[in-house]
Amino acid sequence: KFNIVDCTVDRGTQSAVLTNAVKIANTAGCDVDIQIHFNACKREKSNSKAKGVECWVYSTASTKANAVAKQLCSEISAKMNVPNRGVKVSKSLYFLKKTKKPAVILEVCFHMYLMKL
């Protein structure tokens, strides 16, 4: 079972969107909660480091979240032919901190943008 939640910030404040996403995740009957994001990088700084797929988890102690994150990174890297940046840990990302079940934030790839002058 999975739920799709639109977490686009233009549908409210960032705080309200995150709070709503966590509320939905915590009431859903899913085994692992996954948010899908795109990394961003200034076009001027686009270099070999600003490429690939990565996942964030709250802790390496969650074997379920880590297993899902590793599989997502591996499969997306192979299918999209982009570097696998691996699984990273963060205790400060709101979605990872507030969800009750294992959670993963998937950063699919990088979006390059131009600086406004």
Side-chain angles (χ1 to χ4, degrees):
K1 178 181 175 185
F2 63 92
N3 289 319
I4 298 173
V5 179
D6 185 351
C7 295
T8 308
V9 176
D10 67 357
R11 298 186 189 276
T13 66
Q14 183 177 17
S15 177
V17 169
L18 287 170
T19 300
N20 189 49
V22 167
K23 179 181 173 186
I24 292 168
N26 285 339
T27 58
C30 302
D31 293 330
V32 178
D33 295 312
I34 302 171
Q35 270 196 352
I36 302 171
H37 294 194
F38 286 87
N39 263 331
C41 178
K42 296 176 188 170
R43 187 175 301 276
E44 310 75 59
K45 295 191 176 194
S46 65
N47 56 39
S48 61
K49 292 182 181 181
K51 294 179 183 169
V53 58
E54 65 191 15
C55 285
W56 291 88
V57 296
Y58 184 76
S59 166
T60 55
S62 173
T63 55
K64 187 174 279 191
N66 280 314
V68 168
K70 285 179 183 177
Q71 184 176 0
L72 286 169
C73 283
S74 178
E75 291 189 23
I76 291 171
S77 173
K79 297 284 185 194
M80 293 179 62
N81 195 28
V82 296
N84 181 342
R85 296 169 56 95
V87 179
K88 301 178 180 187
V89 175
S90 174
K91 301 235 185 255
S92 64
L93 295 170
Y94 187 86
F95 185 76
L96 299 177
K97 282 192 326 187
K98 300 293 184 178
T99 50
K100 295 177 183 174
K101 297 180 294 298
V104 175
I105 296 177
L106 166 63
E107 298 281 1
V108 179
C109 58
F110 279 82
H111 172 326
M112 304 299 171
Y113 64 92
L114 294 173
M115 289 287 297
K116 290 184 180 179
L117 298 175

